Amino acid sequence: MTPGRMEAFSDGVIAILITVMVLGLRVPDGAQWSSLRDTVPTLLNYALSFVYLGIYWNNHHHMLQTVHSINGAALWANLHLLFWLSLFPVTTEWTSASHFAEVPVAVYGIVLLAAALAYYLLQTVIIRHQQPDSLLARAIGSDFKGKASPLFYILGIALAFVNPWIGVALYVAVACMWLVPDRRVERTLASSESASESMSESN
Amino acid sequence: MTPGRMEAFSDGVIAILITVMVLGLRVPDGAQWSSLRDTVPTLLNYALSFVYLGIYWNNHHHMLQTVHSINGAALWANLHLLFWLSLFPVTTEWTSASHFAEVPVAVYGIVLLAAALAYYLLQTVIIRHQQPDSLLARAIGSDFKGKASPLFYILGIALAFVNPWIGVALYVAVACMWLVPDRRVERTLASSESASESMSESN
Amino acid sequence: MTPGRMEAFSDGVIAILITVMVLGLRVPDGAQWSSLRDTVPTLLNYALSFVYLGIYWNNHHHMLQTVHSINGAALWANLHLLFWLSLFPVTTEWTSASHFAEVPVAVYGIVLLAAALAYYLLQTVIIRHQQPDSLLARAIGSDFKGKASPLFYILGIALAFVNPWIGVALYVAVACMWLVPDRRVERTLASSESASESMSESN
Amino acid sequence: MTPGRMEAFSDGVIAILITVMVLGLRVPDGAQWSSLRDTVPTLLNYALSFVYLGIYWNNHHHMLQTVHSINGAALWANLHLLFWLSLFPVTTEWTSASHFAEVPVAVYGIVLLAAALAYYLLQTVIIRHQQPDSLLARAIGSDFKGKASPLFYILGIALAFVNPWIGVALYVAVACMWLVPDRRVERTLASSESASESMSESN
């Protein structure tokens, strides 16, 4: 199976999740500048979740660039990832509605953690389906970011009970770490393409 | 006609249905762990409907892998299937809101049943449009799962009036039965590809 | 420009409109069979709008099958059509909420009429961009259905003030007329393909 | 990387935003013609935002026609644009709900301005990734409209505090300016195609 329809479906779901979160943005009461004050934390929280969904879409996109065939297990691993992503709007809204209380911030982190593990699982399922020394496996390499993120999330969940803003700060830190585009795949792809071009030229 | 746009449209509708269900997930009242208690059955119900929509997407995807041409009747059979799938969010929310009362659980099953019959109809319309001994017809074979599911649903609908949880258990059982990816199509496709490759090699 | 992205965008919007209408389906109050009674007219109204959106998607799909190049005017004519289609969920909900009162049924018809005219405009813009004796122009021919529908809608709008159910009956009649798949395009396409095949064979 | 999936994702998000705005259209109270009176400004406001999203989709479509390769920075610049577009439904609803009060009209303009700057940024990132004298760079040329729009928005934001309707009038003016399809790209594309055709013919 080619990954085309899986990509299209994931794009659809992530696109909708990003916009469903918009429905959680309430129209401010009143029509003064001061009416916006209550909206600011909600908006920043929305922006954070938007960035997270953007990161997942981006990495998903990069990962599948190198993959030309998937199996049924990958379809389910992908749906499993989408399930956790689909909970982002609710946890985002709960965090905002509770004005960043301890439990909602921790639950926000738990869903982030579950999504990260689901992504890792999907990546593993796809790599296992490839040849041993596949492009994707080489591109990912030691996967420092993928392994560090869950630790940050766990730390964030725990420290949310000390002060929720420490939790939020750690979630923001992980987002920043990922915002740097994943050049590993681009670089490996580029070098592999130039390699295959020189091969086809020599033919 | 090629099935490309029908696939894209179905992907879109199913992707949206999966995420529209998220809107049925209410933000918990309060910000304590205990506030989550009421959310748990709703969440499990959401997960069940998510899995069902995932199964339909997955099987739809597998089915159309083998099909290179469709007719107008297939477009309408497909829209008919999407109509029943589009009722999943409402029946899911009704089931949750009523705390799994008898009638809502039965109605949930009736919509599952209607979707299963609509899928069967779509499959039949598509097969009839293919050559008699098409890949899809061979891949589906006796279609045990497709024929057993409606019986389970009918049983679930009836037993929901004895105890709604028996109904729910039967719906979960059908979902588990389908969760095993449909290897028939993958296997038949693989064998047919190797056959056609050996044919083209011998040419 | 190829019509690929215009198709994809239209598919997206129509898929979302079909599912946004689901949000208008309220969860019934209570958990008895009788709670469903109030839902039945809403559900039938939803089904009618679903069928209408299905018809538009279907005809849109057939129309663009024959078209390999579009211009900027077609993009805007298409957005104009999508604008009127996007009002279907609101008029559907208003009709249901008012229990099929005169004005809402008439407004429902006005939006149907506007969408029909917008479709006609799009078709005209696309045909004008093709060669004089294009496949699409021949496939559409005298376009009886396209010209009859607006008359039915106008009649329905007017008679809604006598009795709203006459209006509804006329809207249902138009939907039934279109439900028959548009074989003109399929037939013309088929004959053109066999013609071009025999041409390429003779080359 | 090819821009295919970025296009598909953007199409998805814009399609959803256009339809999410529909959810802001409330069903009128009552079932008289007079019940529609309150809906008219909301509807016109909806139409304006619909046209704006249509313009962005249209220009996005035209811009990417000429581009065959993008980098990671373009993916993020694109997500940044989508973020600002995703705020259109809320600002639209706030403007309507406040009956076009000063601050909401100004905020509506600020989000329009931010989206325009984000589009300009995306365009710059994409052009920088192309060859110096790329088709896109030539097609855009001096980019009069792209540079004039932010000035109009700033004027509109400022004058909204004199009278909100002046602000609205300026936003409508910018929309009208863009409604004229961007023939620069079409023309440059057409001339480039005929050039490359004559080149390939001479080969």
Side-chain angles (χ1 to χ4, degrees), chain C residues 38-201:
Chain C
D38 289 349
T39 314
V40 170
T42 308
L43 200 65
L44 292 179
N45 195 11
Y46 168 65
L48 178 61
S49 297
F50 189 101
V51 166
Y52 261 113
L53 286 172
I55 288 168
Y56 274 104
W57 177 73
N58 218 326
N59 288 344
H60 196 267
H61 184 16
H62 273 83
M63 179 167 66
L64 290 175
Q65 285 271 319
T66 62
V67 170
H68 302 296
S69 146
I70 52 163
N71 56 1
L75 291 186
W76 278 108
N78 191 55
L79 277 166
H80 176 243
L81 169 63
L82 294 177
F83 177 78
W84 291 109
L85 296 183
S86 81
L87 296 180
F88 279 29
V90 200
T91 55
T92 304
E93 208 177 333
W94 196 26
T95 313
S96 300
S98 71
H99 301 283
F100 297 84
E102 293 157 15
V103 176
V105 169
V107 170
Y108 187 93
I110 290 169
V111 171
L112 282 180
L113 176 63
L117 298 178
Y119 187 86
Y120 187 79
L121 182 67
L122 171 63
Q123 189 177 277
T124 309
V125 166
I126 289 178
I127 288 180
R128 201 166 289 173
H129 183 63
Q130 313 293 312
Q131 262 89 41
D133 185 46
S134 72
L135 210 57
L136 180 59
R138 270 184 292 147
I140 281 165
S142 67
D143 195 15
F144 169 72
K145 282 196 217 172
K147 280 168 187 153
S149 305
L151 298 178
F152 274 83
Y153 293 139
I154 291 168
L155 212 64
I157 295 162
L159 294 178
F161 293 98
V162 181
N163 185 333
W165 293 104
I166 303 179
V168 173
L170 281 162
Y171 307 154
V172 171
V174 178
C176 292
M177 185 173 87
W178 281 102
L179 260 180
V180 185
D182 204 330
R183 294 200 194 282
R184 292 171 305 178
V185 177
E186 278 182 52
R187 221 182 297 129
T188 317
L189 257 181
S191 69
S192 129
E193 266 165 30
S194 57
S196 65
E197 272 167 25
S198 59
M199 273 175 69
S200 56
E201 276 169 20

Side-chain angles (χ1 to χ4, degrees), chain B residues 133-189:
Chain B
D133 185 46
S134 72
L135 209 57
L136 179 59
R138 268 184 292 148
I140 281 164
S142 67
D143 195 18
F144 168 72
K145 283 196 216 171
K147 280 169 188 151
S149 304
L151 298 179
F152 274 82
Y153 293 139
I154 291 169
L155 211 64
I157 296 162
L159 294 177
F161 292 98
V162 179
N163 185 333
W165 293 104
I166 303 179
V168 173
L170 281 163
Y171 307 154
V172 171
V174 178
C176 291
M177 185 173 86
W178 281 103
L179 261 180
V180 186
D182 204 330
R183 295 201 193 282
R184 292 172 304 179
V185 177
E186 278 182 52
R187 223 181 297 129
T188 316
L189 258 180

Side-chain angles (χ1 to χ4, degrees), chain C residues 1-2 5-6 8-9 12-13 16-17 20 23 70-73 75-76 78-80 82-84 86-87 89-90 93-94 97-98 101-104 106-107 110 161, chain D residues 7 10-12 14-16 18-19 22-23 25-33 35-36 43 46-47 50-51 54-55 57-58 60-62 64-65 178-179 181 186:
Chain C
M1 271 188 294
T2 57
R5 233 183 123 180
M6 185 173 108
F9 186 72
V13 171
I16 298 154
L17 288 173
V20 157
L23 299 175
I70 52 163
N71 56 1
L75 291 186
W76 278 108
N78 191 55
L79 277 166
H80 176 243
L82 294 177
F83 177 78
W84 291 109
S86 81
L87 296 180
V90 200
E93 208 177 333
W94 196 26
S98 71
E102 293 157 15
V103 176
V107 170
I110 290 169
F161 293 98
Chain D
E7 286 186 322
S10 309
D11 285 2
I14 297 176
I16 298 155
I18 271 185
T19 30
V22 179
L23 300 175
L25 294 176
R26 297 283 151 70
V27 168
D29 293 325
Q32 307 303 317
W33 286 112
S35 328
L36 277 175
L43 199 65
Y46 167 65
F50 189 100
V51 166
I55 288 168
W57 177 74
N58 218 326
H60 197 267
H61 184 16
H62 274 82
L64 290 176
Q65 285 271 319
W178 280 104
L179 260 180
E186 278 181 53

Side-chain angles (χ1 to χ4, degrees), chain A residues 44-176:
Chain A
L44 292 178
N45 195 10
Y46 167 65
L48 178 61
S49 298
F50 189 99
V51 167
Y52 261 113
L53 286 172
I55 289 168
Y56 274 104
W57 177 74
N58 218 326
N59 289 345
H60 196 267
H61 184 15
H62 273 82
M63 178 168 67
L64 290 176
Q65 286 270 319
T66 62
V67 171
H68 302 295
S69 147
I70 52 164
N71 56 359
L75 291 186
W76 279 108
N78 192 54
L79 277 166
H80 176 242
L81 169 64
L82 294 177
F83 177 77
W84 292 108
L85 296 183
S86 81
L87 296 180
F88 279 30
V90 200
T91 54
T92 304
E93 209 178 333
W94 196 25
T95 314
S96 300
S98 71
H99 301 285
F100 297 83
E102 293 158 14
V103 176
V105 169
V107 169
Y108 188 92
I110 289 169
V111 171
L112 283 180
L113 176 64
L117 297 178
Y119 188 84
Y120 188 79
L121 183 67
L122 171 63
Q123 190 177 276
T124 309
V125 166
I126 288 178
I127 289 181
R128 202 166 288 172
H129 183 63
Q130 314 293 312
Q131 262 90 42
D133 185 47
S134 72
L135 210 57
L136 179 60
R138 269 183 293 147
I140 281 165
S142 66
D143 196 15
F144 169 73
K145 284 196 217 172
K147 280 169 187 153
S149 304
L151 298 178
F152 274 82
Y153 293 139
I154 291 168
L155 212 64
I157 295 163
L159 294 177
F161 292 99
V162 180
N163 185 332
W165 293 104
I166 303 179
V168 173
L170 280 163
Y171 307 154
V172 171
V174 178
C176 291

Side-chain angles (χ1 to χ4, degrees), chain A residues 18-32:
Chain A
I18 272 185
T19 30
V20 156
M21 285 197 307
V22 179
L23 299 174
L25 295 176
R26 297 283 151 70
V27 168
D29 292 326
Q32 307 303 316

